[in-house]
């Protein structure tokens, strides 16, 4: 293993961030299975250039991400590429949970529950990012089937303990992660768990 490899275990419900340099890899491992990992990525040199779900979906001709998918920016330029994926399908349309969406979906009693938007705002603030910098995010490991009539749901995950995916940075990027704290739907098996982030040296 390269001495330039660094690994961090991100506890359940927690946030994580890092700059990943061009050519380096980021491997996300679902340690216990069924854990959604909300993910945003920005150009590290210019954070106004950031992940764009519409550009990414348009570029690959589909809404699910897997090996070979390129995460495109709002300038339609590549940020990261999925170079390995042991799960096979990841969500681009489900969005990040928030206090507002929790109360709408599950009742006002959930207002005080921690949410991914809170994680993104707290972690992004370290880099001068605010609410207007939050865009539609990727949900690694989240299973959001979309029916022919456009109906979508958040259902039990298709991941399993130890499965991973690896992304390669196509330029220096800033990655923000919320290890999803949601307990009201099956995206985390109703019990959020830890995940692992490993940054590997450029090949």
């Amino acid at each position: 293993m390269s001495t330039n490899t660094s690994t961090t275990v991100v506890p359940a419900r927690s946030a994580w961030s890092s700059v990943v340099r061009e050519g380096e890899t980021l491997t996300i491992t679902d340690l216990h299975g069924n854990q959604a990992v909300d993910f945003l990525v920005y150009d590290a040199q210019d954070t106004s250039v950031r992940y764009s779900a519409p550009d990414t979906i348009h570029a690959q001709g589909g809404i699910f991400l897997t090996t070979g998918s390129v995460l495109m920016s709002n300038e339609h330029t590549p940020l990261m590429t999925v170079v390995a994926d042991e799960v096979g399908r990841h969500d681009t349309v489900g969005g990040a949970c928030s206090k507002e969406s929790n109360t709408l979906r599950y009742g006002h009693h959930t207002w005080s529950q921690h949410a991914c938007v809170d994680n993104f705002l707290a972690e992004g603030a370290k880099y001068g990012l605010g609410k207007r910098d939050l865009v539609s995010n990727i949900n690694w490991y989240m299973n959001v089937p979309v029916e022919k009539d456009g109906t979508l749901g958040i259902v039990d995950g298709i991941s399993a303990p130890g499965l991973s995916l690896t992304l390669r940075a196509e330029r220096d990027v800033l990655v923000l992660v919320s290890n999803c704290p949601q307990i009201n739907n099956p995206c985390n098996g109703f019990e959020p768990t830890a995940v692992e982030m490993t940054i590997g040296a450029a090949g």
Side-chain angles (χ1 to χ4, degrees):
M1 181 177 290
S2 168
T3 56
N4 293 327
T5 298
S6 65
T7 298
T8 304
V9 173
V10 183
R13 303 179 174 86
S14 296
W16 177 88
S17 62
S18 182
V19 171
V20 183
R21 300 295 177 188
E22 181 177 351
E24 290 182 339
T25 58
L26 172 63
T27 299
I28 305 171
T29 304
D30 187 2
L31 293 174
H32 302 281
N34 244 21
Q35 175 60 38
V37 179
D38 288 44
F39 182 97
L40 287 170
V41 57
Y42 303 79
D43 185 314
Q45 313 303 329
D46 179 3
T47 55
S48 69
V49 180
R50 68 274 306 260
Y51 172 72
S52 168
D55 284 83
T56 300
I57 292 166
H58 176 260
Q60 67 168 7
I63 61 171
F64 298 113
L65 302 178
T66 187
T67 306
S69 297
V70 180
L71 311 187
M72 303 294 284
S73 77
N74 53 332
E75 295 186 343
H76 210 71
T77 52
L79 295 167
M80 304 186 87
T81 300
V82 182
V83 294
D85 175 23
E86 295 181 331
V87 178
R89 193 178 76 186
H90 304 268
D91 169 63
T92 59
V93 297
C97 59
S98 65
K99 293 182 185 302
E100 292 79 9
S101 65
N102 280 345
T103 56
L104 185 66
R105 290 172 176 163
Y106 312 115
H108 195 73
H109 67 281
T110 65
W111 172 258
S112 62
Q113 292 176 2
H114 197 55
C116 283
V117 169
D118 302 321
N119 275 344
F120 280 143
L121 288 173
E123 201 66 21
K126 299 176 182 178
Y127 306 91
L129 300 174
K131 200 160 194 174
R132 67 179 54 196
D133 298 301
L134 300 189
V135 294
S136 295
N137 60 285
I138 296 167
N139 295 302
W140 300 117
Y141 302 107
M142 199 158 98
N143 190 13
V144 183
V146 179
E147 306 300 334
K148 288 182 179 178
D149 65 359
T151 303
L152 61 84
I154 299 172
V155 299
D156 202 27
I158 55 176
S159 182
L163 295 188
S164 67
L165 65 100
T166 299
L167 300 142
R168 181 184 65 236
E170 303 301 347
R171 64 178 82 180
D172 292 356
V173 293
L174 167 64
V175 171
L176 299 185
V177 161
S178 171
N179 192 17
C180 184
Q182 182 60 259
I183 58 173
N184 301 293
N185 70 48
C187 72
N188 301 320
F190 299 104
E191 183 181 353
T193 54
V195 295
E196 186 178 83
M197 302 288 164
T198 302
I199 297 175

